[in-house]
Amino acid sequence: MMDTRIGFGYDSHEFKSGVQLRLGGMAVEHPEGLAGHSDGDVLLHALTDALLGAVAAGDIGSFFPPGDPRWKDADSAIFLNLALEELQHAGYRIVNVDTTLILTAPKIAPIAGEMRARVADLLSVGIDQVSIKAKTPEGLNLNHVAQCHAVALVERVQEPEELKSMEEVIESQRQLEDVVDDLLSSVHGVPKKRATSPVYDTEDIT
Ligand SMILES: [Zn+2]
């Protein structure tokens, strides 16, 4: 059984005037925003694809077709949430994510801390599990484009262990009930009332 998996995501959007720039789930002060059917949050899109990719659940386009009017100007946190649901459904949780933004402006370093906190919040993980780096597109002639690469490491949620500890609690409660029943029957001559079949069928736990 595989316990860890890795996912990779990439996205790019062109800068466009008259649009609010949104990166990492937050509004960023800049004269231009990113063109796109949704809010154009290139970092959240790359991250969404990395998480979906980690559990081989498709990509952002297969869940949210660009032509669908429902996702016009959509908050990209919706896409990230869906990826988190898919991750959970597959039985995995995030170990860490790492991202690299490639854009000429604005400067990311002064806001990277705030952005990490925001993304960590959206992912329900600690800030130390989120890395956001940025660089300029040297030699790529892509000054009017924002790109983002993202990787996500995920690990299997150890459900069997959790079930085992639940069974232990149930068993200890059962033994305690048996002791009480034995005491009652010996003192009062009350017949044992406990059913022989277990009260809890662990096969029912999904
Ligand atoms: Zn995108």
Side-chain angles (χ1 to χ4, degrees), residues 24-206:
M26 56 186 243
V28 177
E29 194 96 33
H30 195 59
E32 296 183 304
L34 292 171
H37 187 63
S38 66
D39 65 7
D41 195 323
V42 70
L43 191 143
L44 293 194
H45 295 179
L47 209 46
T48 299
D49 267 359
L51 293 171
L52 289 173
V55 290
D59 66 17
I60 195 167
S62 55
F63 286 96
F64 304 100
D68 193 325
R70 279 178 299 172
W71 316 119
K72 179 98 182 71
D73 302 321
D75 183 341
S76 295
I78 295 168
F79 309 149
L80 199 60
N81 266 333
L82 174 114
L84 289 177
E85 275 173 31
E86 288 295 314
L87 196 67
Q88 218 166 22
H89 183 71
Y92 283 82
R93 66 176 158 226
I94 294 167
V95 176
N96 72 304
V97 298
D98 185 18
T99 60
T100 300
L101 280 162
I102 304 164
L103 71 182
T104 308
K107 285 261 167 287
I108 299 302
I111 53 170
E114 192 188 343
M115 205 178 283
R116 282 177 67 200
R118 173 70 181 140
V119 172
D121 201 39
L122 289 172
L123 296 175
S124 299
V125 298
I127 193 167
D128 62 325
Q129 289 167 282
V130 177
S131 162
I132 293 173
K133 315 186 299 301
K135 61 197 297 157
T136 51
E138 297 298 320
L140 292 175
N141 198 20
L142 287 171
N143 289 344
H144 216 64
V145 173
Q147 302 171 78
C148 188
H149 298 267
V151 287
L153 186 70
V154 299
E155 67 180 350
R156 188 182 287 279
V157 177
Q158 295 300 322
E159 254 177 320
E161 301 249 323
E162 284 161 31
L163 287 178
K164 202 172 146 223
S165 68
M166 279 173 72
E167 278 180 64
E168 279 163 12
V169 170
I170 292 159
E171 184 54 35
S172 68
Q173 281 172 349
R174 191 174 294 155
Q175 285 167 2
L176 190 67
E177 282 173 31
D178 284 344
V179 170
V180 172
D181 279 353
D182 283 345
L183 275 172
L184 280 174
S185 61
S186 67
V187 172
H188 303 293
V190 178
K192 288 188 183 187
K193 62 177 179 189
R194 252 194 65 75
T196 46
S197 63
V199 289
Y200 206 117
D201 186 355
T202 51
E203 296 279 56
D204 287 342
I205 302 169
T206 52

Side-chain angles (χ1 to χ4, degrees), residues 2-18:
M2 222 186 307
D3 287 329
T4 57
R5 297 175 66 111
I6 194 163
F8 170 73
Y10 167 80
D11 195 31
S12 68
H13 284 267
E14 196 169 11
F15 279 98
K16 181 187 177 186
S17 55

